[in-house]
């Protein structure tokens, strides 16, 4: 008879009818899990740099535990060695000593307070560890190809035995702290995966050689942990179904499936299927990878093992796991970034509130921050990592005094500000000269490689605005006169940017067009296109046109194209520019524009001509059109988003949220 | 449009030449500084070889992200040889990669190289120049061999500083 920790009855919820498989219990080892939802262990860099759990992390996890509505909620993976070779993130929690147990207990208690199953993950970061010490450890000293990672030290047999024991001891501490499930992390380049892969394990002793040898340390860990925690605590493992390391001679997919079989033989109670390493040159989870692309790996895993199979990896919509579970190709829906973007995402699915979900846009800013020793943040969710701040979470603090708020601009900045201010009790009206919500995101989301997903942000904001009574005045151009007539208490200018003319191009040159007109299909575009501006808008429109077969060249002032795109996504754009044969001349100016040719000057003075049929302007500057009018009326004024300083969607949303709180 | 292509190219070419020349001169100036600090007891060639090994190791590591096994070992090897040749080409050498007798053997031929000229200008023995190039190439292969789990080596067959007209090196899989 399996243990039941918390009773849940989902039968009255609409989501349980729409997704009957997701809200159906499952047995994992000797434990019944009320549903198929799992918040997968995710680093957040919120803990102290010596491994102690903080209030911020407890609040962060409590929010996710609420979101899984009785399912599994995992805290981040802990490192287990005092020497800190296994520590991969500056704010990673530790479990190498009993002194960490009280902090870990706070996390387990926070998860249990939401009647969810508390998961504890063991994660020695191996090859991608040693964040604060000079050398990492691994089965072999294979050099790093990414310079951000430390040189490697080859572990001796006693060191491997010690590492196995560290896993066992840490698992015991997890159970003492109150966790219900133990998970061993063997993914993306962490120590376990280093042992498993023939790319990083070149040993010829019992911990190397063939696949069985390379799995030996893993088997010892599984068996040691199982024995230490007893039969009531399920033990799972996360392992790669495909390392995607063919370029450096990693394991084959067939070998990876054999690792699942060996892990099952060793006694694990479930497998969490993953794909790729941090070193892989194949994109796995960025927006350009279509949702559901990796589900075939879970299906393959199911064909090899009998224990439950779990998976995350671009399953942002419940339809994907629901269908896969129904087809017998998956057992549990792991969620990671989607619950960074919206901690209550699965709860909203259950409650039939899909439009209230703030969807992850798969930009990987969260990862980029972690790799740069910064605390977790989210591109699209301003509350992320602020769950411990009372004015932010669970709902914005109420306003002291109700005000009439006029928001000019129905783009992401204006809409975010609108629903937050309205929720706090203000009377909010949003004006836009367009008939549609979304501002320039309407055009920007037409860029290729998944940018259409950006519009999910507007869908969410619209729903929230409607929920909190925001009034829309669309098709209305705000003028100084209108402000004078309305006389609100507060004006928020979220008017977006102004697309700056190019000084060297004549204003009446018919070959010079704006980026929005191109993306909306209003502008006629010739075969040879020069895009002025090498930030994200320039890259987006360049790829949009290149996909139509145009010969596109980017010229921009920034030292590198896409410098405003976070590094965890920028590499994708660089590859797509190359694949689409888009040349980028960076650190350059356009000094002369003729009828069919323009002249580019590099930062150090060299000049060269480029032929063009169409010149697309993408450079932006702040929009200050209504500032003087508002100030003249003596009204309280806020300027947000691109109207303040042209940046990106994230800045628009975060600006909107903060000003929504401040009014 | 006021644009004189010849003028622009001439300026660019001259500036490239100056930059290449400065690379060699800067190395030689640092060599002199290192020898002055090392004192009269130091063997100048040993000091240079130490520098060459550091340069080679750094260079080898920088190639790791640029090499790719996906198209098989033969393509990988050609890419490696081209990267090695390219390093000298950016410094002003003329270098070619030629196929050998088997797929795992390539020849890299320097038909012109600025380094012997720098050596002469700074009174560096010609043999030291050859040995430094050898050391750079050998050490650059060290991490590459470990990373890709292969065993390639490079040997010098001819050298310009030895009066043989070209530098010819054989890059090949080590026969066990």
């Amino acid at each position: 008879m399996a243990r039941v920790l918390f009773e849940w009855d989902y039968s009255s919820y609409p989501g349980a009818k729409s997704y009957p498989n997701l809200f159906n219990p499952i047995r994992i080892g000797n434990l019944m899990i009320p549903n198929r939802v799992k918040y997968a262990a995710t680093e957040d860099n919120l803990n102290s740099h010596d491994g102690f759990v903080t209030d911020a992390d407890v609040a962060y996890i409590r929010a996710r535990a609420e979101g899984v509505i009785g399912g599994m909620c995992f805290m981040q993976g802990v490192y287990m060695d005092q020497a800190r070779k296994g520590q991969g993130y500056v704010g990673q929690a530790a479990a190498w000593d009993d002194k960490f147990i009280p902090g870990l207990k706070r996390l387990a208690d926070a998860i249990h307070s939401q009647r969810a199953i508390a998961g504890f993950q063991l994660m020695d970061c191996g090859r991608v560890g040693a964040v604060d010490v000079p050398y990492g450890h691994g089965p072999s000293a294979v050099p790093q190809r990414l310079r951000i990672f430390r040189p490697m030290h080859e572990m001796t047999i006693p060191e491997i035995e010690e590492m196995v024991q560290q896993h066992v001891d840490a698992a015991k501490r997890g159970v003492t702290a109150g966790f219900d499930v133990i998970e061993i992390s063997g993914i993306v380049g962490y120590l376990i995966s280093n042992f498993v892969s023939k790319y990083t394990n070149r040993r010829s002793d019992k911990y190397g050689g063939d696949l069985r040898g390379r799995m030996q340390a893993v088997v010892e860990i599984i068996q040691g942990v199982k024995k230490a925690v007893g039969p009531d605590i399920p033990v799972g493992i996360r392992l790669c179904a495909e390392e995607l390391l063919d370029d450096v001679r990693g394991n084959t997919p067939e070998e990876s499936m054999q690792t699942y079989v060996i892990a099952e033989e060793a006694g694990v109670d479930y497998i969490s299927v993953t794909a790729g390493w941090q070193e892989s040159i194949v994109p796995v989870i960025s927006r350009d990878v279509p949702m559901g692309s990796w589900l075939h790996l879970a299906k393959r895993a199911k064909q090899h093992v009998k224990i439950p199979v779990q998976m995350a990896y671009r399953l942002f919509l419940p339809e994907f796991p629901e269908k896969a579970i129904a087809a017998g190709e998956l057992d549990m829906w792991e969620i990671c970034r989607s619950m960074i973007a919206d901690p209550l995402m699965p709860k909203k699915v259950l409650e039939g509130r899909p439009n209230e979900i703030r969807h992850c846009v798969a930009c990987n800013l969260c990862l980029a921050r972690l790799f740069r020793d910064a605390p977790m943040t989210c591109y699209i969710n301003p509350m992320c990592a602020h769950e411990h701040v009372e004015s932010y979470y669970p709902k914005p603090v109420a306003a002291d005094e109700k005000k009439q708020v006029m928001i000019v601009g129905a783009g992401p900045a204006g809409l975010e500000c609108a629903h937050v201010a309205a929720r706090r009790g203000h009377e909010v009206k949003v004006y836009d000269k367009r008939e549609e919500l979304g501002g320039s995101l309407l055009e920007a989301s037409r860029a290729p490689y998944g940018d259409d997903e950006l519009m999910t942000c507007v869908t969410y904001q619209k729903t929230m605005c409607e929920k909190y009574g925001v009034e829309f005045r669309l098709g209305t151009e705000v003028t100084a006169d209108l402000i004078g007539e309305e006389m609100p208490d507060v004006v928020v200018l979220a008017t977006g940017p102004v697309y700056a003319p190019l000084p060297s191009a004549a204003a009446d040159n018919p070959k010079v067009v704006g980026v929005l007109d191109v993306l909306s299909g209003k502008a006629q575009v010739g075969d040879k296109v020069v895009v002025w501006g090498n930030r994200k808008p320039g890259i987006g429109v360049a790829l949009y046109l290149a996909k139509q077969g145009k010969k596109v060249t980017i010229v921009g002032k920034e030292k590198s194209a896409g410098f405003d795109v976070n590094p965890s996504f920028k590499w994708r754009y660089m590859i797509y520019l190359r694949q689409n044969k888009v040349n980028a001349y960076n650190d350059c100016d356009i000094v002369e524009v003729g009828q069919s040719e323009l002249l580019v000057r590099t930062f150090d003075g060299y000049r060269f001509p480029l032929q063009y049929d169409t010149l697309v302007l993408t450079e932006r500057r702040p929009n200050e059109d209504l500032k003087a009018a508002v100030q003249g009326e003596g009204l309280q004024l806020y300027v947000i988003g691109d109207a303040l300083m042209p940046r990106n969607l994230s800045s628009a949303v975060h600006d909107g949220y903060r000003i929504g709180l401040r009014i | 449009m006021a644009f004189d292509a010849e003028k622009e190219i001439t300026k660019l070419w001259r500036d490239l030449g100056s930059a290449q020349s400065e690379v060699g001169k800067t190395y030689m100036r640092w060599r002199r500084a290192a020898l002055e600090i090392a004192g009269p007891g130091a063997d100048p060639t040993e000091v240079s070889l130490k520098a060459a090994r550091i340069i080679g190791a750094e260079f080898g590591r920088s190639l790791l992200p640029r090499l790719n096994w996906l198209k098989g070992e033969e393509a990988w090897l050609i890419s490696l040889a081209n990267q090695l040749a390219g390093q000298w080409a950016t410094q002003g050498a003329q270098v070619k990669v030629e196929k050998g007798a088997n797929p795992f053997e390539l020849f890299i031929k320097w038909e012109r190289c600025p380094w012997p000229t720098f050596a002469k200008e700074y009174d560096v023995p010609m043999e030291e120049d050859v040995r430094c190039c050898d050391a750079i190439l050998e050490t650059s292969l060290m991490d590459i061999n470990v990373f890709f789990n292969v065993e390639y080596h490079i040997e010098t067959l001819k050298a310009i500083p030895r009066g043989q007209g070209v530098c010819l090196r054989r890059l090949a899989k080590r026969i066990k």
Side-chain angles (χ1 to χ4, degrees):
Chain A
M1 184 73 176
R3 286 198 309 153
V4 176
L5 296 181
F6 302 104
E7 296 278 0
W8 282 80
D9 176 8
Y10 304 115
S11 58
S12 62
Y13 290 95
K17 293 179 181 66
S18 308
Y19 305 103
N21 290 291
L22 285 182
F23 298 103
N24 197 28
I26 184 172
R27 180 175 175 157
I28 305 270
N30 285 329
L31 187 62
M32 284 308 294
I33 313 292
N35 63 35
R36 306 302 183 94
V37 177
K38 171 186 176 185
Y39 175 64
T42 310
E43 292 307 313
D44 54 29
N45 264 349
L46 294 178
N47 294 309
S48 74
H49 289 201
D50 49 2
F52 288 96
V53 171
T54 62
D55 291 348
D57 195 37
V58 173
Y60 175 92
I61 281 293
R62 185 183 293 114
R64 273 76 198 167
E66 182 187 351
V68 298
I69 22 91
M72 295 165 97
C73 180
F74 272 73
M75 68 164 287
Q76 63 185 263
V78 294
Y79 70 93
M80 298 155 282
D81 62 322
Q82 187 176 3
R84 300 171 71 183
K85 287 180 182 166
Q87 182 186 5
Y89 303 90
V90 289
Q92 187 179 352
W96 53 263
D97 190 90
D98 288 352
K99 67 183 178 183
F100 296 105
I101 292 175
L104 298 171
K105 184 174 184 308
R106 290 183 67 205
L107 289 172
D109 290 348
I111 296 168
H112 288 155
S113 74
Q114 304 303 313
R115 300 196 303 133
I117 310 289
F120 186 69
Q121 193 189 66
L122 312 172
M123 188 174 86
D124 186 311
C125 293
R127 187 170 173 73
V128 295
V131 68
D132 245 355
V133 293
Y135 282 88
H137 62 183
S140 305
V142 176
Q144 302 279 8
R145 71 169 159 179
L146 299 179
R147 279 182 184 265
I148 56 167
F149 297 126
R150 307 282 187 205
M152 296 297 292
H153 157 78
E154 181 172 319
M155 297 169 84
T156 61
I157 287 187
E159 284 171 340
I160 294 172
E161 289 165 351
E162 188 186 359
M163 177 272 292
V164 171
Q165 191 58 44
Q166 284 165 354
H167 278 76
V168 174
D169 293 342
K172 282 195 256 183
R173 289 186 189 107
V175 174
T176 305
F179 287 90
D180 313 306
V181 182
I182 303 292
E183 185 172 89
I184 300 155
S185 178
I187 61 169
V188 303
Y190 298 143
L191 186 65
I192 297 299
S193 60
N194 303 160
F195 272 92
V196 174
S197 178
K198 64 180 177 235
Y199 158 48
T200 42
N201 187 343
R202 313 280 172 78
R203 302 179 78 94
S204 53
D205 59 18
K206 68 171 179 169
Y207 292 111
D210 65 10
L211 190 62
R212 289 260 167 204
R214 302 202 300 275
M215 281 293 286
Q216 179 61 29
V218 187
V219 168
E220 289 178 18
I221 289 170
I222 293 168
Q223 292 174 340
V225 169
K226 285 285 290 181
K227 190 175 170 193
V229 302
D232 284 344
I233 304 286
V235 176
I237 191 164
R238 302 194 87 188
L239 286 171
C240 283
E242 283 192 16
E243 293 179 341
L244 304 174
L245 290 173
D246 292 348
D247 61 316
V248 290
R249 311 174 74 185
N251 283 355
T252 62
E254 292 72 29
E255 284 175 308
S256 293
M257 283 302 117
Q258 285 310 304
T259 67
Y260 286 14
V261 173
I262 296 169
E264 183 180 33
E265 284 169 10
V268 289
D269 298 298
Y270 70 87
I271 299 269
S272 164
V273 175
T274 68
W277 278 32
Q278 291 180 5
E279 293 176 57
S280 303
I281 56 171
V282 180
V284 176
I285 56 169
S286 41
R287 192 165 59 242
D288 50 323
V289 178
M291 288 190 207
S293 289
W294 299 105
L295 267 171
H296 66 283
L297 299 181
K299 182 181 177 183
R300 194 190 296 162
K302 287 286 288 178
Q303 290 162 353
H304 284 80
V305 296
K306 293 184 182 66
I307 49 179
V309 165
Q310 313 172 350
M311 190 180 193
Y313 286 70
R314 289 290 274 147
L315 301 179
F316 285 7
L317 297 172
E319 289 78 1
F320 290 102
E322 171 67 21
K323 205 173 152 192
I325 294 170
E329 296 167 357
L330 181 73
D331 296 298
M332 278 195 85
W333 180 24
E334 285 184 336
I335 311 172
C336 178
R337 290 173 300 159
S338 292
M339 286 182 71
I340 294 172
D342 190 336
L344 304 184
M345 191 260 201
K347 186 180 183 187
K348 290 175 182 175
V349 170
L350 177 68
E351 292 174 351
R353 299 186 286 142
N355 285 347
E356 289 185 29
I357 293 171
R358 195 194 281 271
H359 282 286
C360 171
V361 294
C363 68
N364 294 342
L365 175 67
C366 46
L367 301 178
R369 296 264 303 178
L370 296 179
F371 296 150
R372 282 152 190 82
D373 301 342
M376 166 74 82
T377 193
C378 176
Y379 190 85
I380 209 78
N381 174 13
M383 289 169 284
C384 177
H386 292 281
E387 292 83 359
H388 60 299
V389 180
E390 274 183 28
S391 59
Y392 268 58
Y393 203 87
K395 59 183 181 183
V397 67
D400 293 335
E401 177 197 349
K402 182 175 180 174
K403 291 179 181 170
Q404 291 189 330
V405 181
M406 171 190 245
I407 296 181
V408 188
L415 293 176
E416 185 71 21
C417 184
H419 79 77
V420 175
R423 192 175 180 189
R424 293 180 57 233
H426 295 304
E427 189 183 319
V428 182
K429 290 178 189 165
V430 175
Y431 296 74
D432 201 298
K433 62 185 172 189
R434 298 191 192 212
E435 296 286 352
E436 271 182 282
L437 301 180
S440 54
L441 197 59
L442 288 163
E443 286 85 12
S445 61
R446 291 182 184 165
Y449 302 111
D451 278 7
D452 55 323
E453 285 185 38
L454 300 177
M455 278 304 282
T456 57
C457 168
V458 174
T459 306
Y460 160 80
Q461 291 172 326
K462 175 175 181 275
T463 306
M464 300 311 280
C465 283
E466 287 166 354
K467 183 171 179 173
Y468 295 111
V470 173
E471 198 179 310
F472 292 116
R473 299 278 174 87
L474 300 179
T476 306
E477 180 148 16
V478 174
T479 59
D481 289 346
L482 183 62
I483 294 170
E485 283 166 28
E486 296 275 323
M487 283 304 280
D489 301 314
V490 180
V491 175
V492 179
L493 296 180
T495 43
V498 171
Y499 288 86
L502 182 63
S504 54
D508 58 351
N509 184 338
K511 292 183 169 181
V512 180
V513 297
V515 58
L516 299 186
D517 288 338
V518 173
L519 288 168
S520 64
K522 287 180 196 157
Q524 289 284 327
V525 180
D527 289 335
K528 283 176 281 188
V529 184
V530 173
V531 172
W532 167 238
N534 57 352
R535 296 183 180 214
K536 170 67 175 67
I539 291 175
V541 76
L543 292 171
Y544 171 84
L545 292 169
K547 297 285 274 182
Q548 295 172 12
K550 314 278 186 197
K551 170 81 185 85
V552 186
T553 306
I554 296 174
V555 181
K557 283 183 177 173
E558 304 302 339
K559 283 191 90 169
S560 68
F563 99 106
D564 55 334
V565 180
N566 85 70
S568 291
F569 203 91
K570 182 180 164 180
W571 72 284
R572 302 301 313 139
Y573 280 134
M574 296 305 106
I575 288 172
Y576 288 131
L577 289 177
R578 270 203 303 277
Q579 284 178 354
N580 287 285
K581 299 185 170 51
V582 176
N583 258 341
Y585 294 110
N586 304 315
D587 225 347
C588 288
D589 204 353
I590 294 176
V591 290
E592 237 182 288
V593 179
Q595 278 309 302
S596 59
E597 224 173 39
L598 51 80
L599 200 57
V600 177
R601 187 178 63 201
T602 65
F603 79 97
D604 47 356
Y606 301 110
R607 301 187 310 160
F608 59 91
L610 285 176
Q611 290 193 329
Y612 81 103
D613 299 324
T614 305
L615 172 60
V616 183
L617 304 182
T618 71
E619 284 288 298
R620 301 165 297 169
R621 58 175 171 76
N623 185 347
E624 303 195 321
D625 283 356
L626 288 169
K627 241 167 114 176
V630 179
Q631 283 165 335
E633 296 286 356
L635 304 173
Q636 197 179 349
L637 168 70
Y638 295 99
V639 185
I640 61 174
D642 285 356
L644 176 68
M645 171 67 73
R647 287 157 292 162
N648 54 26
L649 171 60
S650 179
S651 304
V653 173
H654 284 243
D655 277 9
Y657 190 86
R658 288 201 196 98
I659 296 306
L661 278 185
R662 199 178 295 169
I663 294 169
Chain B
M1 189 167 290
F3 174 71
D4 182 340
E6 187 182 347
K7 191 176 149 194
E8 296 293 332
I9 291 169
T10 304
K11 185 171 181 298
L12 193 60
W13 197 24
R14 277 194 193 137
D15 289 351
L16 175 64
S18 299
Q20 287 173 335
S21 172
E22 275 307 304
V23 170
K25 287 177 180 172
T26 302
Y27 170 79
M28 291 302 174
R29 289 166 194 150
W30 270 104
R31 177 184 179 278
R32 189 180 286 170
L35 288 178
E36 282 183 18
I37 289 170
D43 177 347
T45 299
E46 282 308 313
V47 172
S48 290
L49 285 172
K50 177 77 180 168
R53 288 183 197 113
I54 291 170
I55 293 167
E58 279 280 311
F59 176 44
R61 269 195 289 276
S62 76
L63 294 185
L64 296 180
R66 295 188 239 163
L67 293 168
N68 187 324
W69 199 266
L70 279 179
K71 289 181 184 166
E73 187 167 359
E74 206 176 325
W76 175 88
L77 181 60
I78 291 170
S79 168
L80 169 61
N82 281 328
Q83 302 271 3
L84 296 174
Q87 177 73 357
W88 268 262
T90 58
Q91 295 161 5
Q94 252 189 326
V95 197
K96 286 180 181 166
V97 175
E98 293 171 356
K99 290 195 171 180
N102 68 65
F104 308 116
E105 178 188 68
L106 292 174
F107 291 94
I108 308 175
K109 192 195 274 183
W110 282 251
E111 293 180 340
R112 210 177 79 166
C113 183
W115 285 97
T117 311
F118 292 130
K120 201 168 179 181
E121 193 178 332
Y122 283 82
D123 209 17
V124 174
M126 286 292 118
E127 193 55 25
E128 180 182 309
D129 185 55
V130 181
R131 290 182 64 193
C132 281
C133 284
D134 289 349
I136 290 171
L137 289 160
E138 283 160 12
T139 44
S140 69
L141 289 179
M142 282 168 56
D143 272 2
I144 292 168
N145 275 333
V146 177
F147 188 83
F148 287 97
N149 210 3
V150 291
E151 224 174 311
Y152 277 86
H153 72 120
I154 192 159
E155 60 181 321
T156 299
L157 305 176
K158 289 181 183 176
I160 295 170
R162 288 177 186 153
Q164 293 167 306
V166 294
C167 288
L168 183 66
R169 291 184 170 92
R170 178 174 173 266
L171 174 66
K173 202 171 207 169
R174 197 180 292 280
I175 307 296
K176 290 180 183 173

